[in-house]
Amino acid sequence: MRSKYLNPAKIFAAVLFAAAVVISYTVTSEKIQAQSASMAISVQDFEKIYKANPKVPLLDVRTAGEFRSEHVANAVNLDVNDIMNLGPKASAKIPFPKDKILYVICRSGNRSMTATKILRSMGYTKAVSINGGTMAWDRLGNSCGTKFMTCAR
């Protein structure tokens, strides 16, 4: 006698459904982690890239006053608040192509991550925040007056 509660076809369907849910969650979770990871770069990795090409697209999102006092040489300044307030119109003030990597820096990495998320929503799909910002850049010995002269005043 077969039990209506232990139908092998229904059990198999339930197991298959559960496996599909687990696989779907895992793939989605990995995509989210990969996407957020690719939104940032370590300051050490950026230093290597910068030393190989000091003209890399670099957007400093600190205030104009912070930028004037010290900044990584060849950086372009556009305050993160201006990016937020201007929305898509901010693109007119950013002299870098939307389809290329755009490095974004601030003092500690918080504003640059905010700006990176906004920039990506505006079409700068390869915008990348530099972890640790100019504070980490300075800790690597790249402050103004060093032999590298990688900051400008």
Side-chain angles (χ1 to χ4, degrees), residues 129-145:
S129 175
I130 300 169
N131 287 334
T134 57
M135 289 173 24
W137 184 250
D138 286 342
R139 281 193 300 273
L140 290 178
N142 292 315
S143 60
C144 294

Side-chain angles (χ1 to χ4, degrees), residues 100-145:
K100 304 286 184 197
I101 293 179
L102 171 58
Y103 298 99
V104 185
I105 195 167
C106 67
R107 182 175 167 270
S108 66
N110 292 326
R111 287 177 282 180
S112 62
M113 183 54 78
T114 298
T116 296
K117 290 175 183 175
I118 295 168
L119 290 166
R120 283 189 170 210
S121 74
M122 293 170 36
Y124 292 89
T125 57
K126 296 180 182 177
V128 178
S129 175
I130 300 169
N131 287 334
T134 57
M135 289 173 24
W137 184 250
D138 286 342
R139 281 193 300 273
L140 290 178
N142 292 315
S143 60
C144 294

Side-chain angles (χ1 to χ4, degrees), residues 38-54:
S38 65
M39 288 183 69
I41 186 173
S42 72
V43 72
Q44 294 86 355
D45 287 343
F46 176 72
E47 180 186 40
K48 292 173 193 168
I49 293 164
Y50 181 86
K51 285 183 178 180
N53 178 12

Side-chain angles (χ1 to χ4, degrees), residues 13-27:
V15 169
L16 194 59
F17 176 76
V21 169
V22 169
I23 290 170
S24 175
Y25 172 78
T26 303
V27 169

Side-chain angles (χ1 to χ4, degrees), residues 1-17:
M1 179 167 118
R2 294 178 86 179
S3 169
K4 66 179 180 180
Y5 298 108
L6 296 175
N7 183 332
K10 287 184 179 180
I11 292 171
F12 180 73
V15 169
L16 194 59
F17 176 76

